[in-house]
Amino acid sequence: MRRRQFLLQTAGLAGATALGTAGLSGCSAETDTPLKLLVASYDKSVGSSIGDQWGSLIAAFKKAHPGIDVALERVPFAKLDQTLAQRVKDGRAPDIAQSNFFAPYAEDGKLYGASDLFDVRTEGDFIRSYAEAGMVNRVQYGLPFLASTPRLFYNKALFKQARVKAPRSWAELREAAQALKAIGVPTPYGLQLGPEAAEDEALAWLLADGGGYAGLTGYDFANPSNIDTLTWLRDNLVKPGLAGPDPKSLSRTDAYAQFLGGRIGMMIAHPVLMGAADKAEFPYAHAPFPKKLGGIAPPVGLNDWLMAFKQNGRREQCGTFLSYLYGRKSATAYGGGQSALPVTGSASDALRKDRRQRPMWDFIDQMPQAQFQPTALGSWPEVRGAVRRRIGEAVAKDGSPKAVLEALDATAARAEL
């Protein structure tokens, strides 16, 4: 199963992966033709500046592998998926590309698998939950990049004033929201069901009561657990005015800004928010998102994907570059920080032992338990669009969770044809 414009807009390469000098053993990958690399570029966003380190990475790679040149092309994030799809359709696929999706290309036989690119040790170093999310028919084609898992962030000053603690169940979350409303907080809980990243917020709630977007046999939106979850949100947060005036219009970017402005009391957020909050000396804390009846809910796994295309026959060069990117050595050479989480075990271990990275530890510790959107289904790009447009309607004051979820099942069935 799959982030989410705020995180992506503010996350740089630093900290997203373990970088090293490992290459494919026995590969002779030198060539006069540059390796074509298509990646996203980002605008500035709330409280953060861009930490794009592709230039320094490529320079270091070139020093280690002088026989391989890399031609980097940046495309605005909002146009990345469309640009890549058009390039592939036109027969001009890059050698390596960043994208929100990989399954449609894998299903068409256009991608190298991880075993084509890495030695066994490097391939096995990916955190298993993230590696499995990149698989189609048990073969990993999507390489996790700019990874994250969210937690429940809350305003410590407002919580102290309202005399509440971090909630450990949905009942406690509702009670905390009621107390925050009583002291005048405009949006006690920031329910982010706007079109920017509604699928991430919704999935966090569904997972917390045993639901999700798909089962073993495919999409399964209108299952009883999902209906109950969205009904609870409608009746316990939205109708009483505890989730702001219009959750279906609340984007992640706006929610982060409102949280830092003291207008949202608590919300699901990613580690990138910590940098902006620390810079503003904002009084925040975070806790695991709770299950409905208590306990820790499975965290949502989130990332972009890198993939290597077969079209140009550059398997060895792609493998050498990607092995450098994900290699065991120099796990923190290109960052750490709060942009994104490491996607390999070796990098996670290195950051987990570095006390300077203590703010990231809770997030890193969640990663092996992460659950994902159904990214292995080639139809997910289309279905995700429908989720973004429709899921907020389900929890509106007059919304029908059952009707919306059944409509999403119908959309998914058509997309699978």
Side-chain angles (χ1 to χ4, degrees):
M1 294 183 179
R2 178 181 168 346
R3 64 227 69 226
R4 356 68 332 241
Q5 195 167 0
F6 180 92
L7 178 58
L8 284 175
Q9 284 177 327
T10 55
L13 180 60
T17 56
L19 305 178
T21 57
L24 291 178
S25 60
C27 266
S28 175
E30 295 188 4
T31 176
D32 292 332
T33 304
L35 193 69
K36 297 177 181 178
L37 176 61
L38 182 71
V39 302
S41 63
Y42 307 102
D43 296 324
K44 291 183 178 181
S45 189
V46 178
S48 182
S49 60
I50 304 309
D52 190 349
Q53 297 191 13
W54 279 115
S56 58
L57 167 67
I58 291 171
F61 173 78
K62 179 68 175 178
K63 185 176 181 179
H65 299 276
I68 304 177
D69 195 12
V70 178
L72 176 69
E73 181 182 359
R74 294 180 175 89
V75 174
F77 172 71
K79 298 181 179 180
L80 180 63
D81 293 328
Q82 180 182 358
T83 299
L84 177 60
Q86 190 62 50
R87 297 277 179 87
V88 174
K89 181 179 179 181
D90 294 343
R92 299 186 296 118
D95 297 303
I96 298 171
Q98 174 186 351
S99 179
N100 287 297
F101 310 110
F102 66 89
Y105 304 113
E107 289 181 350
D108 289 343
K110 297 182 181 296
L111 302 180
Y112 290 116
S115 60
D116 298 320
L117 302 167
F118 303 114
D119 59 33
V120 173
R121 187 176 69 172
T122 304
E123 182 182 0
D125 198 24
F126 286 107
I127 294 173
R128 185 166 184 80
S129 59
Y130 283 76
E132 290 179 347
M135 291 181 179
V136 173
N137 296 326
R138 300 185 180 181
V139 176
Q140 184 183 356
Y141 296 99
L143 309 176
F145 181 68
L146 294 176
S148 184
T149 63
R151 288 169 65 83
L152 182 67
F153 279 66
Y154 59 94
N155 185 318
K156 289 198 301 182
L158 293 177
F159 266 52
K160 183 178 181 179
Q161 184 181 349
R163 299 182 179 181
V164 292
K165 297 181 180 180
R168 294 170 295 180
S169 68
W170 290 7
E172 290 187 6
L173 189 149
R174 179 186 58 210
E175 291 168 3
Q178 291 169 335
L180 291 168
K181 184 178 181 181
I183 63 170
V185 179
T187 303
Y189 179 84
L191 187 61
Q192 304 155 56
L193 295 180
E196 182 183 324
E199 73 278 13
D200 299 326
E201 174 83 23
L203 183 58
W205 284 93
L206 298 181
L207 291 175
D209 196 28
Y213 292 147
L216 295 177
T217 59
Y219 294 107
D220 184 20
F221 286 99
N223 63 67
S225 177
N226 288 354
I227 294 171
D228 288 347
T229 293
L230 297 184
T231 301
W232 189 95
L233 283 171
R234 181 194 65 190
D235 295 344
N236 290 272
L237 291 186
V238 178
K239 282 186 176 181
L242 302 177
D246 188 16
K248 70 178 183 298
S249 298
L250 181 62
S251 70
R252 174 170 291 163
T253 302
D254 289 343
Y256 283 25
Q258 290 185 40
F259 180 77
L260 294 175
R263 298 187 299 278
I264 287 178
M266 56 180 161
M267 66 178 188
I268 294 174
H270 293 271
V272 68
L273 180 59
M274 293 191 296
D278 291 342
K279 185 176 181 180
E281 298 183 348
F282 185 82
Y284 73 94
H286 53 76
F289 192 70
K291 288 183 178 179
K292 184 176 185 179
L293 299 180
I296 298 174
V300 175
L302 187 64
N303 59 258
D304 262 15
W305 303 99
L306 294 180
M307 64 197 92
F309 285 86
K310 292 180 177 180
Q311 179 179 311
N312 302 318
R314 311 294 297 283
R315 183 186 68 83
E316 292 183 358
Q317 294 85 357
C318 289
T320 300
F321 180 81
L322 290 168
S323 292
Y324 184 89
L325 179 68
Y326 290 107
R328 286 175 175 264
K329 296 182 179 180
S330 304
T332 58
Y334 286 85
Q338 295 159 343
S339 296
L341 302 176
V343 295
T344 61
S346 58
S348 295
D349 290 343
L351 293 180
R352 197 62 180 76
K353 295 174 183 177
D354 184 351
R355 293 191 176 277
R356 295 172 298 177
Q357 302 293 339
R358 182 181 290 276
M360 303 294 285
W361 290 357
D362 287 334
F363 297 91
I364 291 172
D365 292 346
Q366 290 186 166
M367 294 182 74
Q369 290 76 46
Q371 296 189 25
F372 292 78
Q373 298 165 20
T375 50
L377 298 175
S379 58
W380 175 240
E382 180 180 347
V383 176
R384 188 189 77 160
V387 172
R388 286 185 167 185
R389 291 190 301 270
R390 297 295 308 277
I391 201 71
E393 300 172 6
V395 301
K397 292 180 180 180
D398 58 350
S400 171
K402 185 173 185 291
V404 170
L405 291 170
E406 288 177 343
L408 289 173
D409 271 328
T411 296
R414 292 191 296 270
E416 287 280 87
L417 294 178

